[in-house]
Amino acid sequence: MSDVICMDWRREARTGVAEAVFCPGKTPDQINRIVHLASRNSQRLLFTRMEDQTFGCLDAGVRALLDYDPLSRTAILGGPPQRTASKLAAVVCAGTSDTPIALEACRTLAFNHIDAPLFGDVGVAGLWRLLDRIDEIASYPVIIAIAGMEGALFSVLAGAVPGLVIAVPSSIGYGVAQGGITALHSALASCAPGVVVVNIDNGFGAACAALKALRWRMPMPDAARQDASG
Amino acid sequence: MSDVICMDWRREARTGVAEAVFCPGKTPDQINRIVHLASRNSQRLLFTRMEDQTFGCLDAGVRALLDYDPLSRTAILGGPPQRTASKLAAVVCAGTSDTPIALEACRTLAFNHIDAPLFGDVGVAGLWRLLDRIDEIASYPVIIAIAGMEGALFSVLAGAVPGLVIAVPSSIGYGVAQGGITALHSALASCAPGVVVVNIDNGFGAACAALKALRWRMPMPDAARQDASG
Amino acid sequence: MSDVICMDWRREARTGVAEAVFCPGKTPDQINRIVHLASRNSQRLLFTRMEDQTFGCLDAGVRALLDYDPLSRTAILGGPPQRTASKLAAVVCAGTSDTPIALEACRTLAFNHIDAPLFGDVGVAGLWRLLDRIDEIASYPVIIAIAGMEGALFSVLAGAVPGLVIAVPSSIGYGVAQGGITALHSALASCAPGVVVVNIDNGFGAACAALKALRWRMPMPDAARQDASG
Amino acid sequence: MSDVICMDWRREARTGVAEAVFCPGKTPDQINRIVHLASRNSQRLLFTRMEDQTFGCLDAGVRALLDYDPLSRTAILGGPPQRTASKLAAVVCAGTSDTPIALEACRTLAFNHIDAPLFGDVGVAGLWRLLDRIDEIASYPVIIAIAGMEGALFSVLAGAVPGLVIAVPSSIGYGVAQGGITALHSALASCAPGVVVVNIDNGFGAACAALKALRWRMPMPDAARQDASG
Amino acid sequence: MSDVICMDWRREARTGVAEAVFCPGKTPDQINRIVHLASRNSQRLLFTRMEDQTFGCLDAGVRALLDYDPLSRTAILGGPPQRTASKLAAVVCAGTSDTPIALEACRTLAFNHIDAPLFGDVGVAGLWRLLDRIDEIASYPVIIAIAGMEGALFSVLAGAVPGLVIAVPSSIGYGVAQGGITALHSALASCAPGVVVVNIDNGFGAACAALKALRWRMPMPDAARQDASG
Amino acid sequence: MSDVICMDWRREARTGVAEAVFCPGKTPDQINRIVHLASRNSQRLLFTRMEDQTFGCLDAGVRALLDYDPLSRTAILGGPPQRTASKLAAVVCAGTSDTPIALEACRTLAFNHIDAPLFGDVGVAGLWRLLDRIDEIASYPVIIAIAGMEGALFSVLAGAVPGLVIAVPSSIGYGVAQGGITALHSALASCAPGVVVVNIDNGFGAACAALKALRWRMPMPDAARQDASG
Amino acid sequence: MSDVICMDWRREARTGVAEAVFCPGKTPDQINRIVHLASRNSQRLLFTRMEDQTFGCLDAGVRALLDYDPLSRTAILGGPPQRTASKLAAVVCAGTSDTPIALEACRTLAFNHIDAPLFGDVGVAGLWRLLDRIDEIASYPVIIAIAGMEGALFSVLAGAVPGLVIAVPSSIGYGVAQGGITALHSALASCAPGVVVVNIDNGFGAACAALKALRWRMPMPDAARQDASG
Amino acid sequence: MSDVICMDWRREARTGVAEAVFCPGKTPDQINRIVHLASRNSQRLLFTRMEDQTFGCLDAGVRALLDYDPLSRTAILGGPPQRTASKLAAVVCAGTSDTPIALEACRTLAFNHIDAPLFGDVGVAGLWRLLDRIDEIASYPVIIAIAGMEGALFSVLAGAVPGLVIAVPSSIGYGVAQGGITALHSALASCAPGVVVVNIDNGFGAACAALKALRWRMPMPDAARQDASG
């Protein structure tokens, strides 16, 4: 069975985003083996959607190698990045309950050398909360916006800022919120042109898209730069 | 077949909203007979969703009795109301394309003695258009709001005014707008509490709800008042 | 992380409905902090969808400040309201299983100074149960109606009373009842004009809409009145 | 290609309902051939959903053999039935627009020897219209009920009569009525036990079900009786 | 809170089917009270969807009054019926997994004086299993058919028997079986005319429909007969 | 714009199925150019879903090169195939209305050197029609089955024959038939194991699958054989 | 109740696929009885979707007769097959999480005398992983492909190989992946002609289809051969 | 009615994308007035989804002012842009039928000073067509990809290039392609991280998003630059 794991170490050079591991459906044993494989290759690695209990079932030696954050359910192998760019991306979320997704985006950005601030609890039911902070948000070239329920934040924000708004519909809500489908459709049908959208609760994907949009502006790691030009 | 038309003349006294006739699926002959029936009973009557071609197929004598408006697709039998209340309800719509639905609501209100102004083209993609007029809108106890696409207007509006916001999702849009379903779900899942919703494109229904909410405030026609207390 | 909580204390003056806290997705620690924040500001506060286990995890001091009701899953901070209006709103529900939603509506109304009676078990399968009480129900200007399954109650009720009927589809049922979607669509497509609808199981939202519809009729708290005119 | 038509002349003996021809998707030439085939076999035959233009395209000789009714879109080959039973089935419909479906049911019953009256325009928005006639309706062992929009008629009716209620959801309505899906789900999720349902707009199918339910009560044609016992 | 239970003891006389109690959403205390209420009125009563744990939480005295069957999740108050009719209804099911729904139908029929046999495991993947027994099945005037997955049994059966086929789609299956939706739509779109359908897993409802279809044929309880004629 | 047409002439050698042209969305001018391109390369070519009016708009010289069949909406460039295999595939359809799809499958097979007979009008409502012919059908290694409405034919057939059953759900039907979705889901959820399915109305795709399944059995055209081994 | 189990021992001779037992919804007692029944008839038997806990609840004597594999959730009665064909079918899967479904397919093939290799972790996000192995995969006449999320693997694979591609959409993914529906629709709407599809997660069904497609190529067991010709 | 048009001339400075006019639902008279309004303000303006017949109904003087392109259904007021950047964005589409959407994107980019090449007919059914051109495509920082049916192009492309991939699902296809929903969900559930998505057929929105992503790289018009900094 060992052949069913086939890591794509060349992904960052090829696509601008490093290989990451989506944990659901993988056994602790498989994750242990992936960590060892990456360590032997001196590869940094990001794990997403790693639940508390999964982390607890990993080998002690593997756990010691990982920087695990339970709220965002992410783990990082290989320590913090050395150079970090700021003022490139901001993360904005409508309600307190969207925090885990926001943090998944922030951690993914940090793993890829971008330091992004979080603007929380700015839902449009009390529009002054957003308007008070809109000038600062508008100064970022890329803005990851997270909202559940009806997702009205996406349109209001995109109508007010010049940067790229990447909408992450969240599964917060009940009834017709339908686990994020209404926020998703709301983002896609936005009356403000230029909103782009990723899958429900996909903070990781939004951060990857931000990286791709910012690739030509940010300080690229030397290795990747060589690989890309080679 | 004459027995399949059975008008409910007591509806206004019983429910606060006069009997109205939904035209789709009715033949011109049936509409002619309904007009004659109402005329003989000295009943005023509102027809909704009457298309141009349907109106054109009615008897000339019947057409002469009706005040027909092609944009809102409504026809009124019995002439304008004698007393009209203002400052009770406003109609707000997000885009130019929502105008026909807005006018259906305005005409239904006018038929029922309420004069409602129309605030058009205030979609949230350019929020200043709404904010410029929000104080005036906020002075109405009932506000009918019409929006298609993602329906973000409903939440922004409801978070800013004290009156009852009746949302009418419109079928404007394409793709995931799904003929109004996304705007509908957006209104129902609104993060601003207290939004109430009617069916897609149902300007008539929104006006009826406004009438029921305002019934105790408006100058009631004497006949209806007697009937209700009788 | 403290900045991700941003209370909207001006909401009641602005929108006619006081700020409330939707508990799902919030940690006990966040709720503890919200209670302390409100206490320091002498603000009354309503918590909705607070499950038994969440309440049990709050600090003892916080629990002592709250009036918690497990059936409606609501908690009230700040004691009972001083003045209460009656004969303004009624709550009607089709079956015994709809009681928790009905009580959420009643508690929300009570928190906002309105005393609303509950008319239970009046589903249309035995129409005499509703007809026996219809005259009393018809005397209220606003009626919150709760029904699951096929939601036939909404149309029968709206065809019989002059007040505003606010329909709350409930998630009671199985199979094609689809967790409340059928009752929701039934309410929206009602043949009785003027029914307005809120999200599935949203007793709180229905009560907020009732408050907005009744705002000009009820004895307004002095502070809010000043704020609104200020 | 002649082999792709294969009539099932034994169907009535086997299933209690005679073979019928669903016209959509069939060419005029195929229908001509079916009529000739039936004539040669001295078989009576019912055609459903035959549009005006299809009938107009048939051979003149074939048209002369058919009793065509454009409103119900049915055609009957072989003349009126000789014996007809009454007081066995009634057809009830909510609105004027449901008439074509109601007539499809009535014609199908008539073709099969049952004379069924039509109770029209008894929708529940004005409940008195139904209550005025409920005692007469309740005297029938089988009741075919037709309603679109929210289909509340099905539950009210089934809660009031002892006979079998066969619900036919109609495609009347717009928005969330979804071409009859809401009425369909409403009928299936009815709080009144014992409602059975057929496909949207399927007046023919409802009549067939009525025939099967009444088979042991009605005067059976002699031929069929012999076939069944043979 | 005692007023939210309102039993409909006149239902059997009015509709041909006795009042029954749907247990989900009801507390053990409410069920205890309903049993006492029925006992005091000497009413027999059927409880459906009563889970093991709910039965276990009832008062010991109440449990002693009930004939509880865990497989069909039904409980009967008032003992077995005195007269029972046979050869009126049969229950047919496609697979072993449909047995609980089949038994719910059988118990409901037995409670209402009809003794119905069960024909099991006759799915169409091995058609000979159905064909071996089709002559016996065809001798019943009403046949309740239960099938999940694609529900092909309904069409094959209805094309082969003269009785009324009442289809109960079951939630057996996975993927596109969608909890019974595919079997439901399959039954409604059947190419065999005259199939009628009830909600997914609704063995109780199918039995009620059977009772209504058979009401004029079966030995009616004397009391009900008087009530109906009175 | 000429670069937006890029034919895949190597497809047959690579995948076992020759390049074909799906006409919807292509202008007559584009189709003219494709025909000329293929002629210059001495390539045979199949066009699918070519409507009458599209064919009529092609250049006269192009029309002369094509063998056009309006019922199946297919056109063939390059004349009939020289060698044809029989007894490999059969096409079975439930009703007369499924004929156009059946013929699309037959023509696609013929274009690819397979002669397939059509078994029509064998729907399961009259099961004897299928049982009379089942032995002959069972002798084919691949069977393309076409059915709309509830698609019960797929399960009955697959439970009776040893060959591969490729189900083509057709869009025949109305209401819950939902343009073929119910037949599609019925095929996928079939209780008879081994049914495989293609998109709704996709007679072409079913024939392609048949070709791939039969590739190792049929007399391969010499050119393709060389290409594949080369 | 013993009559509700009715095994179809003749299925292999009739359809090319041996009877198998789908375990969900069956009690341990029923499974025990099925094993004893098969043993007494000297029938080999495959059980699918047998969960760990179900296996654990079987009688010890029954457990000893079964070859149980927890990862694929299959159990085999009757020992390994004597002759096995290779180079007939391959199983390809996009990600590590699809392994259980892949193994269900492999075990079903092995039970039916076919030895199929597994090509794992070849998802198209890193296309080189698939291209590196495509020539080997292309040498198989039947390829079972398993993918979740967006299912792009199906089209890329089918455009590159001559064999029959049987797509198994898997339920891996979240949000709009909708439990496999997106991968399912992706497979059905594939731009590469000839892809055939089975239900979500249905590795067993895909293997059965492979068996039917390969029936005329593989070494058939002698008994089945006789039965089929007899 | 003139107040229902309210242009947002400050939108470009505020959001990076100039005001554009969505034509569906607007009357020719309204479009005439908008053109005059823009002309008087010396504003350039883009009109989208303007059908042939709408353009034909405009005033001759207005038509003369517009650069209209019927294939992309766009019209431009104010002449070509003076400075144009190249090598910033590419447009890639899967099939010939996607051309109109591709051209809408190209024209929107051109209107906003970006010259983008079109790579057509590179669908993954013949992967070599994409692989032949992938190096050139990979050199662009932003790639707009258009595909209908199953949308497999999005994942393959995003796994191979470092730029931002903006997916536009197109409504090309039939059956389960569902007017673009399957391609939409496929893009959102892509296994290749970082794909972002806009509404079905929304070439205009994709171009707007590209503009926002490229805003800091491209030569900004002087006026806009001043406005933004002012």
PDB file of all heavy atoms in Angstrom, chain G residues 25 29 42 70 83 87 89 120 123 130 144 169 184 188 195 200 207 214:
ATOM      1  N   GLY G  25     -28.935  -2.401   7.087  1.00  0.00           N
ATOM      2  CA  GLY G  25     -30.356  -2.668   7.304  1.00  0.00           C
ATOM      3  C   GLY G  25     -30.645  -4.122   7.637  1.00  0.00           C
ATOM      4  O   GLY G  25     -31.790  -4.454   7.935  1.00  0.00           O
ATOM      5  N   ASP G  29     -28.600 -11.475  13.033  1.00  0.00           N
ATOM      6  CA  ASP G  29     -29.306 -12.739  12.954  1.00  0.00           C
ATOM      7  C   ASP G  29     -29.641 -13.097  11.514  1.00  0.00           C
ATOM      8  O   ASP G  29     -29.480 -14.254  11.091  1.00  0.00           O
ATOM      9  CB  ASP G  29     -30.590 -12.666  13.800  1.00  0.00           C
ATOM     10  CG  ASP G  29     -31.391 -13.945  13.689  1.00  0.00           C
ATOM     11  OD1 ASP G  29     -30.832 -15.016  14.014  1.00  0.00           O
ATOM     12  OD2 ASP G  29     -32.556 -13.886  13.247  1.00  0.00           O
ATOM     13  N   SER G  42     -23.675 -25.053  -0.577  1.00  0.00           N
ATOM     14  CA  SER G  42     -22.330 -25.013  -1.159  1.00  0.00           C
ATOM     15  C   SER G  42     -22.161 -23.835  -2.114  1.00  0.00           C
ATOM     16  O   SER G  42     -21.573 -23.958  -3.182  1.00  0.00           O
ATOM     17  CB  SER G  42     -22.002 -26.325  -1.886  1.00  0.00           C
ATOM     18  OG  SER G  42     -22.108 -27.400  -0.994  1.00  0.00           O
ATOM     19  N   PRO G  70     -11.669  -5.391   6.880  1.00  0.00           N
ATOM     20  CA  PRO G  70     -12.343  -4.206   7.425  1.00  0.00           C
ATOM     21  C   PRO G  70     -12.199  -2.955   6.545  1.00  0.00           C
ATOM     22  O   PRO G  70     -13.095  -2.118   6.535  1.00  0.00           O
ATOM     23  CB  PRO G  70     -11.664  -4.005   8.782  1.00  0.00           C
ATOM     24  CG  PRO G  70     -10.387  -4.754   8.712  1.00  0.00           C
ATOM     25  CD  PRO G  70     -10.576  -5.861   7.733  1.00  0.00           C
ATOM     26  N   ARG G  83      -9.136 -20.203 -10.197  1.00  0.00           N
ATOM     27  CA  ARG G  83      -8.422 -19.672 -11.358  1.00  0.00           C
ATOM     28  C   ARG G  83      -8.622 -18.167 -11.412  1.00  0.00           C
ATOM     29  O   ARG G  83      -9.711 -17.662 -11.190  1.00  0.00           O
ATOM     30  CB  ARG G  83      -8.939 -20.306 -12.654  1.00  0.00           C
ATOM     31  CG  ARG G  83      -8.493 -21.762 -12.822  1.00  0.00           C
ATOM     32  CD  ARG G  83      -9.146 -22.362 -14.034  1.00  0.00           C
ATOM     33  NE  ARG G  83     -10.601 -22.279 -13.892  1.00  0.00           N
ATOM     34  CZ  ARG G  83     -11.445 -22.542 -14.894  1.00  0.00           C
ATOM     35  NH1 ARG G  83     -10.994 -22.881 -16.087  1.00  0.00           N
ATOM     36  NH2 ARG G  83     -12.740 -22.460 -14.705  1.00  0.00           N
ATOM     37  N   LYS G  87      -4.524  -8.879 -16.247  1.00  0.00           N
ATOM     38  CA  LYS G  87      -4.453  -7.986 -17.419  1.00  0.00           C
ATOM     39  C   LYS G  87      -5.816  -7.720 -18.060  1.00  0.00           C
ATOM     40  O   LYS G  87      -5.900  -7.395 -19.235  1.00  0.00           O
ATOM     41  CB  LYS G  87      -3.492  -8.558 -18.498  1.00  0.00           C
ATOM     42  CG  LYS G  87      -2.035  -8.654 -18.078  1.00  0.00           C
ATOM     43  CD  LYS G  87      -1.433  -7.300 -17.747  1.00  0.00           C
ATOM     44  CE  LYS G  87      -1.299  -6.376 -18.940  1.00  0.00           C
ATOM     45  NZ  LYS G  87      -0.811  -5.020 -18.519  1.00  0.00           N
ATOM     46  N   ALA G  89      -8.536  -6.008 -16.006  1.00  0.00           N
ATOM     47  CA  ALA G  89      -9.104  -4.792 -15.420  1.00  0.00           C
ATOM     48  C   ALA G  89      -8.085  -4.149 -14.487  1.00  0.00           C
ATOM     49  O   ALA G  89      -7.349  -4.845 -13.785  1.00  0.00           O
ATOM     50  CB  ALA G  89     -10.378  -5.125 -14.641  1.00  0.00           C
ATOM     51  N   GLY G 120      -2.732   4.125  -7.428  1.00  0.00           N
ATOM     52  CA  GLY G 120      -3.269   5.103  -6.474  1.00  0.00           C
ATOM     53  C   GLY G 120      -2.631   6.478  -6.580  1.00  0.00           C
ATOM     54  O   GLY G 120      -1.535   6.634  -7.114  1.00  0.00           O
ATOM     55  N   GLY G 123      -4.217  11.828  -8.941  1.00  0.00           N
ATOM     56  CA  GLY G 123      -5.098  12.969  -9.215  1.00  0.00           C
ATOM     57  C   GLY G 123      -4.459  13.995 -10.142  1.00  0.00           C
ATOM     58  O   GLY G 123      -3.233  14.141 -10.183  1.00  0.00           O
ATOM     59  N   LEU G 130      -0.094  10.992 -13.194  1.00  0.00           N
ATOM     60  CA  LEU G 130      -0.893  10.152 -14.083  1.00  0.00           C
ATOM     61  C   LEU G 130      -0.129   9.847 -15.373  1.00  0.00           C
ATOM     62  O   LEU G 130      -0.099   8.703 -15.834  1.00  0.00           O
ATOM     63  CB  LEU G 130      -2.211  10.841 -14.408  1.00  0.00           C
ATOM     64  CG  LEU G 130      -3.141  10.088 -15.387  1.00  0.00           C
ATOM     65  CD1 LEU G 130      -3.554   8.748 -14.821  1.00  0.00           C
ATOM     66  CD2 LEU G 130      -4.381  10.917 -15.690  1.00  0.00           C
ATOM     67  N   ILE G 144     -11.459   0.820 -13.963  1.00  0.00           N
ATOM     68  CA  ILE G 144     -12.361   1.403 -12.974  1.00  0.00           C
ATOM     69  C   ILE G 144     -11.642   2.602 -12.369  1.00  0.00           C
ATOM     70  O   ILE G 144     -10.557   2.458 -11.808  1.00  0.00           O
ATOM     71  CB  ILE G 144     -12.702   0.366 -11.890  1.00  0.00           C
ATOM     72  CG1 ILE G 144     -13.524  -0.770 -12.513  1.00  0.00           C
ATOM     73  CG2 ILE G 144     -13.435   1.006 -10.731  1.00  0.00           C
ATOM     74  CD1 ILE G 144     -13.808  -1.924 -11.553  1.00  0.00           C
ATOM     75  N   PRO G 169     -17.779   7.890  -8.793  1.00  0.00           N
ATOM     76  CA  PRO G 169     -17.614   9.131  -8.034  1.00  0.00           C
ATOM     77  C   PRO G 169     -17.535   8.800  -6.549  1.00  0.00           C
ATOM     78  O   PRO G 169     -18.293   7.952  -6.066  1.00  0.00           O
ATOM     79  CB  PRO G 169     -18.888   9.917  -8.345  1.00  0.00           C
ATOM     80  CG  PRO G 169     -19.782   9.014  -9.101  1.00  0.00           C
ATOM     81  CD  PRO G 169     -19.102   7.728  -9.377  1.00  0.00           C
ATOM     82  N   LEU G 184     -20.072  12.952  -9.503  1.00  0.00           N
ATOM     83  CA  LEU G 184     -21.006  12.158 -10.310  1.00  0.00           C
ATOM     84  C   LEU G 184     -21.423  12.917 -11.565  1.00  0.00           C
ATOM     85  O   LEU G 184     -21.351  12.394 -12.688  1.00  0.00           O
ATOM     86  CB  LEU G 184     -22.250  11.834  -9.470  1.00  0.00           C
ATOM     87  CG  LEU G 184     -23.421  11.197 -10.221  1.00  0.00           C
ATOM     88  CD1 LEU G 184     -23.107   9.765 -10.580  1.00  0.00           C
ATOM     89  CD2 LEU G 184     -24.702  11.266  -9.412  1.00  0.00           C
ATOM     90  N   LEU G 188     -20.709  12.213 -15.640  1.00  0.00           N
ATOM     91  CA  LEU G 188     -21.787  12.064 -16.619  1.00  0.00           C
ATOM     92  C   LEU G 188     -21.692  13.111 -17.728  1.00  0.00           C
ATOM     93  O   LEU G 188     -22.085  12.862 -18.867  1.00  0.00           O
ATOM     94  CB  LEU G 188     -23.151  12.169 -15.921  1.00  0.00           C
ATOM     95  CG  LEU G 188     -23.534  10.970 -15.061  1.00  0.00           C
ATOM     96  CD1 LEU G 188     -24.678  11.344 -14.131  1.00  0.00           C
ATOM     97  CD2 LEU G 188     -23.954   9.786 -15.926  1.00  0.00           C
ATOM     98  N   VAL G 195     -17.389   7.574 -21.334  1.00  0.00           N
ATOM     99  CA  VAL G 195     -17.305   7.302 -19.901  1.00  0.00           C
ATOM    100  C   VAL G 195     -18.652   6.766 -19.430  1.00  0.00           C
ATOM    101  O   VAL G 195     -19.689   7.330 -19.770  1.00  0.00           O
ATOM    102  CB  VAL G 195     -16.977   8.592 -19.106  1.00  0.00           C
ATOM    103  CG1 VAL G 195     -16.997   8.340 -17.619  1.00  0.00           C
ATOM    104  CG2 VAL G 195     -15.643   9.170 -19.555  1.00  0.00           C
ATOM    105  N   ILE G 200     -22.494   6.752  -6.499  1.00  0.00           N
ATOM    106  CA  ILE G 200     -21.458   7.262  -5.614  1.00  0.00           C
ATOM    107  C   ILE G 200     -20.941   6.159  -4.686  1.00  0.00           C
ATOM    108  O   ILE G 200     -21.734   5.435  -4.087  1.00  0.00           O
ATOM    109  CB  ILE G 200     -22.039   8.441  -4.794  1.00  0.00           C
ATOM    110  CG1 ILE G 200     -22.407   9.594  -5.739  1.00  0.00           C
ATOM    111  CG2 ILE G 200     -21.077   8.910  -3.729  1.00  0.00           C
ATOM    112  CD1 ILE G 200     -23.278  10.650  -5.115  1.00  0.00           C
ATOM    113  N   ALA G 207     -17.287  -3.030 -10.269  1.00  0.00           N
ATOM    114  CA  ALA G 207     -16.687  -4.335 -10.524  1.00  0.00           C
ATOM    115  C   ALA G 207     -17.672  -5.260 -11.236  1.00  0.00           C
ATOM    116  O   ALA G 207     -17.296  -6.016 -12.144  1.00  0.00           O
ATOM    117  CB  ALA G 207     -16.216  -4.953  -9.213  1.00  0.00           C
ATOM    118  N   LEU G 214     -16.450  -8.025 -19.464  1.00  0.00           N
ATOM    119  CA  LEU G 214     -15.346  -8.948 -19.727  1.00  0.00           C
ATOM    120  C   LEU G 214     -15.783 -10.402 -19.839  1.00  0.00           C
ATOM    121  O   LEU G 214     -14.964 -11.291 -20.103  1.00  0.00           O
ATOM    122  CB  LEU G 214     -14.290  -8.827 -18.620  1.00  0.00           C
ATOM    123  CG  LEU G 214     -13.582  -7.478 -18.530  1.00  0.00           C
ATOM    124  CD1 LEU G 214     -12.857  -7.355 -17.206  1.00  0.00           C
ATOM    125  CD2 LEU G 214     -12.603  -7.331 -19.691  1.00  0.00           C
TER     126      LEU G 214
END
